[in-house]
């Protein structure tokens, strides 16, 4: 898969933290039912890898990627779990090389012009802008567009259903990331209907 294709499935990539393995498949199905297919499952819980494998097996429409990939080993285990892409909060050459070697498309996080240049130097020009709101938000994305007109961003961090359209209106933004599609209380209660509604609302966001 070419990484930029991730942006062609809809305007929002949910950033997901799963604490209970049994929630993984119904949560993924709820998101897919709402029209959201690209799922970033973060490597922040002990069950994350099992959740990725379970979703890949049971929800074939889902395009599962690993989030919070911080090390080369994270990239390897995510690949082994069947992930089709990786998202990292920052960028290192080592992670870039590991993902290239694995054939695992990488969406690396950047927050400064120097980080954009480091990722560009390794052939990456579709980048996560993280933490989007804290790192300057819309003003920073506009400023980066001048020197980097060929770079496309997926801003993530602090974005809401209300603010996403303003990000999506920028010429250098094709998709946003956010955790608002899977609120912890809805997951805790098994309220999959609410998650489908949030996904449906996100899937039709436009600038
Ligand atoms: C994260 O790292 O958890 C993501 O950037 C999501 O951030 P958000 O919870 O502000 O959407």
């Amino acid at each position: 898969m070419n990484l930029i294709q991730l942006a062609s499935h809809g305007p929002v990539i949910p950033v997901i933290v799963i604490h209970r393995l049994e929630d993984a498949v119904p949560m993924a199905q709820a998101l897919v039912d709402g029209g959201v297919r690209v799922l970033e499952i973060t490597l922040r819980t002990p069950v994350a890898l099992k959740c990725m494998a379970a979703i890949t097996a049971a929800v074939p429409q889902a395009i599962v990627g690993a989030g919070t990939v911080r090390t080369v080993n994270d990239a390897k285990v995510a690949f082994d779990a069947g992930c089709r892409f990786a998202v990292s909060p920052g960028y290192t050459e080592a992670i870039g090389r590991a993902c290239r070697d694995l054939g695992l498309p990488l969406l690396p996080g950047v927050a400064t012009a120097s980080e954009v240049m480091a990722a560009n130097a390794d052939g990456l020009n579709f980048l996560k802008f993280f933490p989007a709101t804290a790192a300057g938000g819309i003003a920073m994305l506009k400023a980066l567009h001048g020197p980097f007109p060929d770079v496309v961003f997926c801003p993530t961090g602090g974005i809401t259903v209300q603010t996403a359209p303003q990000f999506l209106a920028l010429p250098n933004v094709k998709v946003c990331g956010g955790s608002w599609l899977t609120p912890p209380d809805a997951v805790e209660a098994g309220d999959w209907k609410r998650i489908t509604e949030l996904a449906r609302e996100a899937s039709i966001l436009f600038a």
Side-chain angles (χ1 to χ4, degrees), residues 24 97 113 121 131 147 158 173-174 177:
R97 196 178 319 114
V173 172
K174 291 276 178 280

Side-chain angles (χ1 to χ4, degrees), residues 39-110:
L39 313 181
E40 176 189 334
I41 313 289
T42 59
L43 288 170
R44 296 185 199 176
T45 62
V47 294
L49 290 168
K50 283 188 177 157
C51 292
M52 293 162 182
I55 294 168
T56 299
V59 189
Q61 307 97 313
I63 300 168
V64 176
T68 322
V69 171
R70 294 170 47 186
T71 65
V72 167
N73 190 57
D74 286 345
K76 286 183 181 153
V77 295
F79 180 78
D80 289 343
C83 285
R84 293 169 62 186
F85 65 96
V87 185
S88 54
Y91 182 66
T92 65
E93 276 183 40
I95 285 190
R97 196 178 319 114
C99 288
R100 256 195 324 277
D101 291 349
L102 289 164
L104 183 65
L106 173 67
L107 179 62
V110 297

Side-chain angles (χ1 to χ4, degrees), residues 127-149:
L127 309 173
K128 167 172 162 165
F129 176 52
F130 175 80
T133 305
I138 286 170
M140 180 66 167
L141 284 160
K142 282 184 178 167
L144 289 170
H145 187 51
F148 304 111

Side-chain angles (χ1 to χ4, degrees), residues 15 17 42 44 68 128 130 156-159 177-180:
V15 177
V17 180
T42 59
R44 296 185 199 176
T68 322
K128 167 172 162 165
F130 175 80
T156 305
I159 297 178
S179 64
W180 81 85

Side-chain angles (χ1 to χ4, degrees), residues 138 158-168 180 198 201 205-206:
I138 286 170
I159 297 178
T160 66
V161 68
Q162 286 81 21
T163 60
Q166 297 152 38
F167 283 91
L168 292 164
W180 81 85
L198 289 166
E201 180 185 39
L205 279 179
F206 58 93

